[in-house]
Amino acid sequence: GAGVSQSPSNKVTEKGKDVELRCDPISGHTALYWYRQSLGQGLEFLIYFQGNSAPDKSGLPSDRFSAERTGGSVSTLTIQRTQQEDSAVYLCASSSSGTPPETQYFGPGTRLLVL
Amino acid sequence: QKEVEQDPGPLSVPEGAIVSLNCTYSNSAFQYFMWYRQYSRKGPELLMYTYSSGNKEDGRFTAQVDKSSKYISLFIRDSQPSDSATYLCALHRTGGFKTIFGAGTRLFVKA
């Protein structure tokens, strides 16, 4: 079946602009995660959704970052007033219920470059 | 101090070598230990997981957890060029939402 998809695959923007990143999880998966991957930094947890609610937003780096999930499916991560340090690969993952040791299935990521 | 430390490499080995990849962690509350493999320009994929201490073997791969030392390892036997990827350790607390990932070790297996 279809895996996790993300769009756009690449995004180049100018400093100060807003960007929206989209994640389509595997159908039926209730848990959804956003991560940020910078060179040499590994995966940085941003936010976790269980259904439409986000019990853990602790990883969002600043109030310029927000995320929502609608209908228990598609999620968007919005970065307002982008800064150059926001340049990274943004990865989305989903799992069937969020209870470990559950496999997280990752999308291919969105590569964001802020000029 | 980071919750998990992983040498980013790169690690370059000849085909057929035994590869040892390692992570150390600081919080004894972690109970689930995972290894993900990430090919270039792809998302990570789960390779193996272990719960608590001990060894787990799957084909050419062996995952080892030593909770007393807070040290986890992934061994790859008879390494192949197709094993060239970044390997990330990942840890999870019981009852928690968050999985903590290491920085990843880049592995190159030369034919």
Side-chain angles (χ1 to χ4, degrees):
Chain A
V4 177
S5 60
Q6 292 185 248
S7 60
S9 52
N10 294 281
K11 177 72 177 178
V12 181
T13 191
E14 293 179 347
K15 178 181 171 181
K17 300 281 191 184
D18 297 352
V19 295
E20 253 189 24
L21 312 179
R22 176 186 168 110
C23 172
D24 282 89
I26 292 172
S27 177
H29 279 191
T30 61
L32 186 146
Y33 307 80
W34 282 99
Y35 296 91
R36 179 168 68 177
Q37 187 173 34
S38 305
L39 192 62
Q41 297 298 312
L43 268 65
E44 176 188 3
F45 170 85
L46 297 179
I47 190 169
Y48 159 74
F49 286 94
Q50 181 59 252
N52 289 340
S53 64
D56 192 343
K57 303 181 183 180
S58 63
L60 294 178
S62 74
D63 58 8
R64 296 187 296 105
F65 287 72
S66 63
E68 65 175 15
R69 189 178 185 195
T70 55
S73 181
V74 172
S75 177
T76 53
L77 176 69
T78 302
I79 309 173
Q80 296 178 309
R81 305 181 302 282
T82 51
Q83 304 294 310
Q84 288 179 332
E85 60 262 29
D86 298 334
S87 297
V89 177
Y90 289 83
L91 289 159
C92 172
S94 71
S95 64
S96 52
S97 71
T99 305
E102 207 170 59
T103 301
Q104 290 186 35
Y105 295 89
F106 283 82
T110 293
R111 283 155 188 80
L112 175 65
L113 178 62
V114 182
L115 300 176
Chain B
Q1 181 186 9
K2 287 185 178 179
E3 288 192 274
V4 57
E5 300 277 358
Q6 182 176 13
D7 186 339
L11 179 62
S12 183
V13 301
E15 183 176 358
I18 296 174
V19 175
S20 173
L21 304 167
N22 310 290
C23 289
T24 59
Y25 63 96
S26 56
N27 192 330
S28 57
F30 290 121
Q31 293 286 338
Y32 297 97
F33 306 92
M34 293 153 280
W35 286 94
Y36 280 79
R37 177 175 61 194
Q38 185 177 22
Y39 290 113
S40 180
R41 303 189 75 81
K42 301 285 188 184
E45 56 179 345
L46 182 67
L47 196 58
M48 295 185 72
Y49 80 86
T50 53
Y51 173 71
S52 197
S53 284
N55 291 3
K56 184 172 184 177
E57 190 173 317
D58 184 0
R60 296 184 297 111
F61 299 89
T62 299
Q64 191 173 77
V65 175
D66 182 348
K67 291 193 72 179
S68 62
S69 302
K70 297 189 180 68
Y71 192 86
I72 62 173
S73 302
L74 178 71
F75 298 96
I76 307 174
R77 290 184 299 281
D78 188 24
S79 55
Q80 302 296 309
S82 57
D83 296 328
S84 298
T86 296
Y87 291 80
L88 302 102
C89 61
L91 295 78
H92 197 109
R93 294 182 191 87
T94 302
F97 301 122
K98 193 185 303 185
T99 298
I100 307 298
F101 285 82
T105 300
R106 291 192 70 190
L107 172 67
F108 297 96
V109 181
K110 299 171 293 185

